[in-house]
Amino acid sequence: MAQVSITSLQKSYGSVDVLKDINLEVEDGSFVVLVGPSGCGKSTLLRSIAGLEAVNGGAISIGGKRVNDLAPAKREIAMVFQSYALYPHMDVEKNMGFGLRFAGTPKQEVAARVAEAARILQLEALLKRRPRELSGGQRQRVAIGRAIVRKPQVFLFDEPLSNLDAALRVNTRVEIAKLHKLLGATIIYVTHDQVEAMTLADKIVVMNQGRIEQAGKPLDLYYRPANTFVANFIGSPAMNMVEIEVTGKNKARTLAGGELGVPLPARAKAGDRLTLGARPEHLTLGAPGKGLTGQLDLVERLGEVGYAHLDMAGGGRFIVEVRGDVKAKRGDKVGVVPDPAKLHLFDANGKACAS
Amino acid sequence: MRSRFSTIAIHAVLLGYTALALFPIILVVMNSMKMKRAIFLSPLTPPGPASFDLIGYHRVFSDGAIGTYYMNSIIVTLGTIFFTLLFGAMAGFALSEYKFRFNKLLGLYLSIGIMVPIRLGSVAIISLVSGMNMINTLSALICVYVAQNLPLAVFILSEFVHQIPKDLREAARCDGLSEYNIFFHIILPLLRPAMATVAVFTMIPVWNDLWFPLLLAPSGGKQTITLGVQQFLGQYVTDWNAVLAALSTAIIPVLIFYVLFSRQLIRGLTSGAVK
Amino acid sequence: MADNQQIEMVGMNRSAYLRVLAFFLAPAVLIYTLFSVYPLLATIFDSLYLRHEGGALTFNGLGNFQTLLTDETWSKPFWNALRNNLIFFIIHMCVQNPVGLALAALLSLKQLAFRNTYRTLIFMPTMLSVVIIGFIWQLILSPLWGIWKMGLNAVGLGVLFGPYLGQEHTALITISLISVWQFVGIPMILIYTALLAIPDELVDAATVDGLNQWQAFFHVKLPLIWPTIGLVSVLTFVANFNAFDLIYAMQGALAGPNFSTDIMGTLFYRTFFGNQLQLGDPTMGSTIATMMFVIILMGLLVYLYVIQRRIQRYSF
């Protein structure tokens, strides 16, 4: 296994920059997940690492070796495609051993490695089947098997679960996490699903418009988002945000006029405009007049918990996590009380204020 | 939905036209197996025990050359199909797979031949072929037919290459296959159904062509079956048994082939010409 | 975006990339250029030269064309062939394509039993060699065998029988109809496929709107298959102005009787190879081939710039 480092990577299609100055370290044996909205460049980054796309600047190195100009096959990577990309005209066994055979690996070695991968993935009974005779989940395992067989330095996964149904997705996610432990493999994994990202990753890389917004441990991203984009992207429902004006030490008011006591950074001075963020799970509903003021629009009751959607005085909407059986009805005036220890503050540029 | 009456009327029209389409063919095949008297006295009855006679076929095959002509046609047709498919798939793959400066232009250049008949260049083709000392050779015919059929083959096959998922080719690149191996081990096997279509599609006009065999290989035992039968008919024009047998000899293999492959052929006609 | 489908090559230098391109493209491009494009260009080039006794060539500009169009010995056969060819084409357009359309319309009716069998059988003559078809019809029409005469007598039209292929005023029409008979399968199949591609909902919607089957066909389906009919027309045009085999097989290179069935293809063949009446003339042959090229090209341009632009295409 090997570490991957990416420095100042640039990539453009014509005049459109799709990757802008990407710097990323993937430690040996770690599981890194690239997330972001569609079109953010995460797949392009993965394909650049694979060597399926040429880059315009910067360097990619795998295991300390610069690989920019190497063909995909020479990079010691294996890729699991979103569509699985199994060769339709070959059975499972051939599919898995195909690359090795072309690399001139001795037959017995190929057979041994295929058998080993089949054992790990419980594909032994399916070895003679063609891809079209397999279910979605089985195809997915074959695709992973094909990657394992090559004993690559790095595994690359491109949205591997997006073609599976919801139940299978959860199972396969667990399987992939186990496999990572078992193989001790370095994995770079692209998804748009934040649950996959949170559960699988050692390190999450949030991307937006060709840039890395933040890279870090899943819970770091949750507790300490570096900016409003990450704050919005990680966590579901998304973080509530409201603009405030500093009025004094640890005192501020919303633009609608509500006074608010919040722990502010020391250098905040009166008149500063900041963005206050609070996750739905860190807010509670109180009597009107407490904290921020809002009017209840509807409650989504999911069972154990529920989400109250509020129209806030001064505009904007908040979502507050409540008990599933909360007694509240449309039109109720309520106060929204934040947990002061779990508030997020962002400056005018959307950057998190050091607290 | 439809009334009984209109259903019957529709079937009557279609049956009538089907009869019109098949009647001449059946008539010839039927009478080719009869005695001369029966051919003239009762042309519309199928051969019975009293009228059955294969004398016509006897004459056709005792001429000796028919077997050679068949062989020639088979060689020309198979040769044409082989090279059309191979070169067509290669070019179709390259045009749909690779980025290069003159990609679009080259595609356009190749597609001119879909609409402009190669026959118009016959004068120059003859001097070219005779300049290469290839008159009365089957290779000359194959070269011309491959050139004639390549444009459409490239067009259809590149559409099909386009439909093969990109991921598959990239997986193969990750697996370390060279571009050549990607073509021969991934693309070519997956193109098989499309190639069957193009093959059936290519085959018929080549087998039936009279023009180029007449121009390029009219003698020396290199005639194709179509030309051979045409020449034979000219010689034996008054021997009805022989004429009918010769015609049937030319018809029957094509009909057998057609019945076997009509699905591919019709699919080919539609997939190739729709755009 | 077709361009995004094409790959970028990482880890391959320019010369290796060019080798790959050459490997895949060269065979097709070379053989096509040598045996298709070059002969066509050489033919056009040849038509600009004059061949003298002994084989010497001199540049003659458009002189050959002038000769062809104005010199009585050349222009008479040329205009005759062109006129016959036009008649040949018009008969195809007026008989082959409407009949093909009608058959396709019937075949595409919903829940029609045996539709594939009909389709396969009606298409059968199209598969056979024109030479064979020509000969078969010659036999059927022959007074010697009398099949056609028998048929006419049976329906009480015996008086109409005549040596169709031997009379100047009937030979061309007869041959055209034989060609129509053979090739009606092509418009039928193409139009049939286009009709099948029209979603049933459209016809259902028309039915709900109160149209009967006929009205639904003429007001809903027909407008949607105009592009296919346009394509069928241009294919017919190209094939007709390139035809040769049937007339050669039935009437010989002289396209008798008295050149009444002479079309561009037979005129070209006769001019180039010569015949009992004249010696072969390669440059005039090239001139005629070039004229055919120009005619076909004009047909294609009309199709591309007039028909195809005017016709709205729909996707379902």
Side-chain angles (χ1 to χ4, degrees):
Chain A
M1 293 300 143
Q3 91 281 5
V4 176
S5 35
I6 291 163
T7 39
S8 318
L9 201 67
Q10 303 275 353
K11 157 106 194 151
S12 49
Y13 292 123
S15 61
V16 185
D17 292 331
V18 284
L19 294 178
K20 304 165 193 162
D21 191 28
I22 300 285
N23 290 286
L24 179 65
E25 283 296 321
V26 176
E27 285 81 20
D28 190 1
S30 69
F31 197 130
V32 171
V33 176
L34 310 179
V35 287
S38 57
C40 70
K42 57 190 191 295
S43 278
T44 309
L45 177 55
L46 190 79
R47 293 164 50 80
S48 302
I49 298 170
L52 295 172
E53 308 248 2
V55 294
N56 303 105
I60 303 170
S61 67
I62 297 175
K65 189 170 71 176
R66 187 183 142 102
V67 297
N68 280 39
D69 300 318
L70 290 182
K74 303 254 163 67
R75 296 188 178 196
E76 299 184 71
I77 50 102
M79 183 144 169
V80 177
F81 292 84
Q82 181 173 5
S83 64
Y84 316 138
L86 301 179
Y87 306 122
H89 55 302
M90 300 177 199
D91 62 23
V92 168
E93 191 173 16
K94 273 216 170 126
N95 253 294
M96 295 207 286
F98 192 62
L100 288 183
R101 262 180 39 219
F102 270 89
T105 315
K107 268 194 177 151
Q108 286 147 337
E109 168 84 16
V110 176
R113 287 213 220 165
V114 170
E116 165 76 3
R119 190 185 55 75
I120 296 174
L121 296 161
Q122 294 149 24
L123 287 170
E124 284 123 321
L126 307 176
L127 283 177
K128 293 291 169 206
R129 294 222 197 145
R130 294 274 180 99
R132 73 176 122 81
E133 300 162 323
L134 301 176
S135 69
Q138 290 166 337
R139 285 182 209 177
Q140 158 64 236
R141 297 217 301 276
V142 176
I144 295 176
R146 190 169 66 182
I148 292 178
V149 163
R150 306 193 58 217
K151 301 206 168 158
Q153 298 283 343
V154 183
F155 286 90
L156 306 174
F157 285 81
D158 189 3
E159 309 225 12
L161 305 186
S162 57
N163 285 344
L164 299 179
D165 65 45
L168 206 52
R169 207 176 297 170
V170 174
N171 280 335
T172 314
R173 204 171 71 206
V174 174
E175 293 295 325
I176 291 177
K178 277 192 198 158
L179 205 63
H180 175 229
K181 295 266 158 14
L182 182 76
L183 301 172
T186 309
I187 294 180
I188 304 176
Y189 184 110
V190 163
T191 180
H192 61 266
D193 181 325
Q194 56 159 308
V195 180
E196 271 172 46
M198 296 297 284
T199 50
L200 288 170
D202 296 321
K203 183 199 252 179
I204 293 182
V205 178
V206 181
M207 293 185 64
N208 182 33
Q209 296 183 345
R211 284 203 176 76
I212 293 180
E213 294 282 354
Q214 190 176 2
K217 291 203 175 90
L219 290 182
D220 281 352
L221 264 56
Y222 176 79
Y223 287 115
R224 284 180 288 283
N227 51 44
T228 47
F229 181 83
V230 176
N232 246 317
F233 194 81
I234 301 284
S236 172
M239 185 184 281
N240 301 296
M241 305 228 177
V242 62
E243 224 178 302
I244 56 170
E245 192 182 327
V246 178
T247 50
K249 192 171 162 54
N250 288 344
K251 276 211 312 238
R253 63 179 168 90
T254 63
L255 298 188
E259 288 293 326
L260 207 58
V262 285
L264 292 170
R267 55 185 167 77
K269 52 187 193 300
D272 282 356
R273 291 280 180 90
L274 296 173
T275 301
L276 176 72
R279 298 196 180 275
E281 52 271 38
H282 300 148
L283 292 170
T284 44
L285 292 186
K290 279 190 157 178
L292 302 163
T293 313
Q295 188 173 16
L296 194 72
D297 183 22
L298 67 101
V299 182
E300 293 179 303
R301 299 174 196 272
L302 307 180
E304 173 70 25
V305 297
Y307 293 106
H309 292 244
L310 308 168
D311 288 317
M312 302 307 289
R317 282 169 76 87
F318 264 34
I319 297 176
V320 178
E321 188 179 307
V322 293
R323 287 180 53 84
D325 57 358
V326 68
K327 288 191 177 42
K329 62 177 192 303
R330 190 186 155 87
D332 285 352
K333 284 246 186 301
V334 290
V336 177
V337 185
D339 176 350
K342 289 180 176 161
L343 285 177
H344 303 267
L345 282 168
F346 305 95
D347 65 18
N349 298 321
K351 294 250 180 304
C353 303
S355 47
Chain B
M1 279 282 283
R2 269 196 306 273
S3 70
R4 229 185 133 68
F5 172 76
S6 66
T7 307
I8 291 172
I10 289 164
H11 280 284
V13 171
L14 287 171
L15 268 175
Y17 198 89
T18 308
L20 179 62
L22 295 185
F23 170 72
I25 300 169
I26 294 171
L27 186 73
V28 166
V29 174
M30 210 165 71
N31 282 291
S32 72
M33 293 180 274
K34 295 190 339 197
M35 288 188 288
K36 190 160 185 176
R37 262 174 64 83
I39 295 174
F40 284 96
L41 284 179
S42 52
L44 298 182
T45 42
S51 59
F52 184 77
D53 194 346
L54 293 179
I55 175 77
Y57 290 91
H58 211 77
R59 218 158 289 154
V60 169
F61 284 99
S62 66
D63 186 84
I66 290 285
T68 318
Y69 298 164
Y70 258 116
M71 223 34 228
N72 291 341
S73 270
I74 290 171
I75 293 170
V76 168
T77 309
L78 289 183
T80 302
I81 288 175
F82 178 80
F83 289 110
T84 303
L85 290 181
L86 180 66
F87 297 160
M90 282 162 60
F93 169 70
L95 287 178
S96 95
E97 184 81 353
Y98 300 120
K99 255 184 207 164
F100 53 94
R101 263 176 72 194
F102 303 111
N103 187 320
K104 283 242 168 68
L105 208 64
L106 198 61
L108 201 67
Y109 174 71
L110 284 171
S111 60
I112 295 171
I114 297 177
M115 275 302 192
V116 178
I118 191 171
R119 262 183 202 188
L120 299 180
S122 299
V123 176
I125 289 178
I126 293 178
S127 39
L128 182 70
V129 167
S130 69
M132 296 162 102
N133 271 328
M134 281 164 68
I135 290 286
N136 283 336
T137 62
L138 300 180
S139 332
L141 284 177
I142 294 176
C143 288
V144 172
Y145 289 139
V146 171
Q148 173 185 320
N149 288 299
L150 263 175
L152 193 57
V154 170
F155 180 77
I156 295 178
L157 292 173
S158 76
E159 292 276 301
F160 276 96
V161 172
H162 218 77
Q163 286 169 22
I164 296 175
K166 192 181 172 194
D167 281 359
L168 222 52
R169 282 111 75 173
E170 301 199 321
R173 274 184 197 110
C174 289
D175 266 346
L177 270 73
S178 67
E179 297 305 310
Y180 310 105
N181 282 329
I182 289 176
F183 176 75
F184 286 106
H185 291 271
I186 309 291
I187 301 295
L188 219 45
L190 294 178
L191 279 182
R192 239 178 259 158
M195 294 205 301
T197 299
V198 176
V200 181
F201 204 7
T202 305
M203 173 167 237
I204 299 299
V206 170
W207 183 274
N208 284 338
D209 188 38
L210 177 67
W211 177 265
F212 283 113
L214 193 62
L215 263 56
L216 300 179
S219 58
K222 296 298 176 190
Q223 294 98 317
T224 60
I225 186 72
T226 305
L227 178 61
V229 166
Q230 201 260 342
Q231 292 175 342
F232 181 90
L233 293 175
Q235 279 170 42
Y236 287 80
V237 79
T238 51
D239 183 343
W240 282 68
N241 289 94
V243 164
L244 291 170
L247 289 172
S248 305
T249 316
I251 294 172
I252 293 166
V254 178
L255 289 195
I256 293 173
F257 176 82
Y258 173 60
V259 170
L260 291 177
F261 292 100
S262 62
R263 278 185 56 184
Q264 273 95 334
L265 179 102
I266 285 167
R267 205 177 52 198
L269 262 179
T270 49
S271 74
V274 161
K275 294 212 167 156
Chain C
M1 291 276 283
D3 284 354
N4 284 351
Q5 272 285 319
Q6 289 157 351
I7 56 135
E8 291 185 14
M9 291 302 243
V10 180
M12 190 185 274
N13 59 37
R14 212 179 140 67
S15 73
Y17 191 56
L18 288 178
R19 263 204 306 281
V20 168
L21 287 180
F23 173 83
F24 285 116
L25 289 167
V29 172
L30 285 181
I31 201 161
Y32 170 70
T33 306
L34 186 61
F35 285 95
S36 184
V37 176
Y38 159 74
L40 194 64
L41 294 179
T43 298
I44 294 172
F45 193 72
D46 254 17
S47 70
L48 304 176
Y49 281 80
L50 200 59
R51 189 175 297 258
H52 300 282
E53 310 268 326
L57 287 175
T58 49
F59 186 72
N60 194 25
L62 294 174
N64 289 342
F65 292 91
Q66 201 183 358
T67 308
L68 183 66
L69 298 176
T70 57
D71 181 337
E72 183 82 352
T73 43
W74 289 105
S75 66
K76 234 181 99 193
F78 174 76
W79 292 115
N80 174 54
L82 187 61
R83 196 182 60 99
N84 289 339
N85 217 149
L86 264 176
I87 295 173
F88 191 65
F89 171 63
I90 290 169
I91 292 175
H92 278 81
M93 284 300 285
C94 295
V95 184
Q96 174 190 282
N97 295 347
V99 171
L101 172 64
L103 289 172
L106 290 181
L107 285 179
S108 70
L109 288 173
K110 267 190 282 182
Q111 293 151 0
L112 179 76
F114 309 118
R115 73 152 63 140
N116 286 349
T117 314
Y118 285 131
R119 192 191 64 189
T120 306
L121 294 178
I122 293 176
F123 195 74
M124 210 172 243
T126 310
M127 303 296 301
L128 296 177
S129 165
V130 175
V131 174
I132 307 299
I133 295 296
F135 224 92
I136 291 179
W137 277 100
Q138 230 174 3
L139 296 182
I140 291 175
L141 294 176
S142 149
L144 214 58
W145 203 8
I147 300 281
W148 191 253
K149 198 172 175 181
M150 241 187 275
L152 286 178
N153 282 334
V155 290
L157 293 172
V159 287
L160 290 180
F161 184 77
Y164 301 134
L165 292 170
Q167 305 173 150
E168 281 187 40
H169 65 284
T170 50
L172 181 62
I173 296 175
T174 308
I175 290 196
S176 306
L177 290 175
I178 292 170
S179 172
V180 165
W181 173 84
Q182 175 168 22
F183 290 115
V184 79
I186 291 176
M188 178 189 80
I189 293 286
L190 293 178
I191 295 171
Y192 167 74
T193 327
L195 284 171
L196 285 193
I198 298 173
D200 288 342
E201 284 88 358
L202 280 181
V203 179
D204 291 346
T207 314
V208 172
D209 282 341
L211 279 74
N212 65 30
Q213 288 233 359
W214 283 103
Q215 290 167 326
F217 181 80
F218 280 103
H219 294 283
V220 179
K221 286 191 171 183
L222 197 57
L224 292 174
I225 57 167
W226 278 122
T228 309
I229 294 176
L231 178 80
V232 165
S233 307
V234 73
L235 288 177
T236 309
F237 183 84
V238 173
N240 285 171
F241 276 89
N242 188 34
F244 163 79
D245 301 26
L246 185 65
I247 288 164
Y248 179 78
M250 294 185 73
Q251 310 291 71
L254 286 175
N258 191 23
F259 301 111
S260 64
T261 55
D262 199 20
I263 57 171
M264 299 301 290
T266 43
L267 176 66
F268 167 44
Y269 179 84
R270 233 176 26 245
T271 308
F272 178 59
F273 276 98
N275 55 69
Q276 296 94 313
L277 308 176
Q278 69 197 66
L279 280 172
D281 186 338
T283 48
M284 281 312 277
S286 298
T287 308
I288 293 172
T290 306
M291 284 304 290
M292 291 167 74
F293 177 66
V294 170
I295 291 168
I296 288 174
L297 211 61
M298 286 191 315
L300 289 177
L301 289 180
V302 168
Y303 171 68
L304 287 176
Y305 287 99
V306 182
I307 300 179
Q308 220 183 20
R309 280 226 180 135
R310 280 277 196 84
I311 294 175
Q312 185 86 36
R313 272 166 196 282
Y314 304 92
S315 53
F316 307 116

